[in-house]
């Protein structure tokens, strides 16, 4: 049986997550980083010279604010109304536009296109790539960039990985995380129409700690 996404349940899960984020995280300044470690790994240069960008599963919005500060026209989409409320309050005056929607619904319903679409431990991690990647490709300008990061797959655990929120008692809130090897991601991007695809795991700054999977691809220039 394929993964059974229940978007209302996932929204509640992410609302709980968003409500639990400390104020200090939202009060912190803009920063664009792909990894879970401060001052580690590449930055916004992976998006090339994009003039417009969409962050899918934008969370706290710090990356969007960093891009907006560089003159990029930035849009964000996130499933959680609580998260979107907090992001809009914090970054609304920086020129960042944020929509509250499920990413597949949002991409199906817009005719806007972007130079870059990106996700930092965001919606790419939580959405079926067979549905998401072709939609992203269709909303990118020719030569546009898709870039995303997330934790690497745990060996032998590939495809949708179910995850309960907050332990194993109480209301059954769950979501799915999609994990593949770098090679698996290359295949998924290519079959969705991307070129110049690259996928690799960047080691953590401390030996033996969890690294970061970083994937990029471009739509054909036409
Ligand atoms: C782990 S957070 C990380 C986000 C961000 N990079 C940050 O720094 O805060 C993942 C985000 O993805 C959003 N998300 C999860 N599934 C989604 C979906 N199907 N559509 C849109 N957003 C989604 C969640 O609401 C959450 O804010």
């Amino acid at each position: 049986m394929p993964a059974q996404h229940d978007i209302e349940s996932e929204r509640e899960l992410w609302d709980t997550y968003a409500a639990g984020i400390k104020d200090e995280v939202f009060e912190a300044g803009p920063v664009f980083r792909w990894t879970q470690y401060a001052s580690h790994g590449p930055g916004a240069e992976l998006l090339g010279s994009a003039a417009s960008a969409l962050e899918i599963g934008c969370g706290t919005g710090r990356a969007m604010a960093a891009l907006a500060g560089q003159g990029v026209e930035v849009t964000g989409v996130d499933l959680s109304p609580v998260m979107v409320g907090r992001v809009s309050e914090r970054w609304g005056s920086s020129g960042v536009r944020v929509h509250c929607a499920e990413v597949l619904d949002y991409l199906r319903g817009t005719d806007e296109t972007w130079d870059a679409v990106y996700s930092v431990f965001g919606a790419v991690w939580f959405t079926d790539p067979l549905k998401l990647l072709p939609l992203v490709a269709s909303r990118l300008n020719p030569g546009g960039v898709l870039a995303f990061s997330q934790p690497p797959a745990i060996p032998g655990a590939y495809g949708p990985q179910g995850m309960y929120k907050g332990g194993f008692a109480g209301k059954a809130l769950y979501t799915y995380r999609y994990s593949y090897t770098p090679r698996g991601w290359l295949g998924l991007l290519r079959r969705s129409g991307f070129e110049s695809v690259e996928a690799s795991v960047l080691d953590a700054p401390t030996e033996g700690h969890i690294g970061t999977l970083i994937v990029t691809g471009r739509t054909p220039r036409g």
Side-chain angles (χ1 to χ4, degrees), residues 47-111:
L47 303 181
S49 53
S52 61
L54 171 70
E55 180 166 358
I56 54 176
C58 61
T60 59
R62 293 179 71 194
M64 293 194 295
L67 286 182
Q70 293 170 19
V72 179
E73 195 181 310
V74 195
T75 307
V77 59
D78 199 283
L79 181 61
S80 158
V82 174
M83 189 72 91
V84 169
R86 297 187 78 180
V87 174
S88 304
E89 191 180 310
R90 175 66 176 97
W91 299 115
S93 58
S94 341
V96 165
R97 283 187 301 153
V98 193
H99 300 279
C100 186
E102 195 280 323
V103 65
L104 298 176
D105 288 344
Y106 178 74
L107 291 172
R108 285 181 189 126
T110 183
D111 54 11

Side-chain angles (χ1 to χ4, degrees), residues 6-210:
D6 174 345
I7 294 304
E8 284 319 307
S9 169
E10 292 184 17
R11 183 173 279 123
E12 192 176 335
L13 180 155
W14 287 112
D15 269 350
T16 310
Y17 168 84
I21 296 175
K22 292 193 173 118
D23 288 343
E24 299 95 270
V25 175
F26 280 93
E27 284 156 11
V31 64
F32 197 111
R33 67 167 191 249
W34 298 99
T35 81
Q36 57 278 55
Y37 305 105
S39 309
H40 177 63
E45 68 274 10
L46 293 192
L47 303 181
S49 53
S52 61
L54 171 70
E55 180 166 358
I56 54 176
C58 61
T60 59
R62 293 179 71 194
M64 293 194 295
L67 286 182
Q70 293 170 19
V72 179
E73 195 181 310
V74 195
T75 307
V77 59
D78 199 283
L79 181 61
S80 158
V82 174
M83 189 72 91
V84 169
R86 297 187 78 180
V87 174
S88 304
E89 191 180 310
R90 175 66 176 97
W91 299 115
S93 58
S94 341
V96 165
R97 283 187 301 153
V98 193
H99 300 279
C100 186
E102 195 280 323
V103 65
L104 298 176
D105 288 344
Y106 178 74
L107 291 172
R108 285 181 189 126
T110 183
D111 54 11
E112 201 165 337
T113 60
W114 291 270
D115 293 337
V117 173
Y118 69 96
S119 161
V120 182
F121 289 50
V124 174
W125 196 15
F126 303 104
T127 309
D128 183 347
L130 294 175
K131 294 179 178 158
L132 179 64
L133 297 180
L135 272 174
V136 169
S138 74
R139 307 289 5 128
L140 276 167
N141 294 324
V145 179
L146 166 65
F148 61 91
S149 65
Q150 61 191 56
I154 291 171
Y158 308 118
Q161 313 287 310
M163 175 184 79
Y164 283 114
K165 167 77 184 135
F168 302 107
K171 191 168 178 185
L173 294 180
Y174 59 85
T175 187
Y176 296 90
R177 297 183 289 205
Y178 288 81
S179 294
Y180 302 92
T181 60
R183 193 165 160 215
W185 279 112
L186 293 181
L188 286 162
L189 261 69
R190 285 193 187 112
R191 70 186 275 187
S192 301
F194 288 92
E195 299 178 341
S196 309
V197 293
E198 294 182 25
S200 60
V201 174
L202 178 68
D203 287 339
T206 304
E207 200 181 330
H209 287 206
I210 300 168

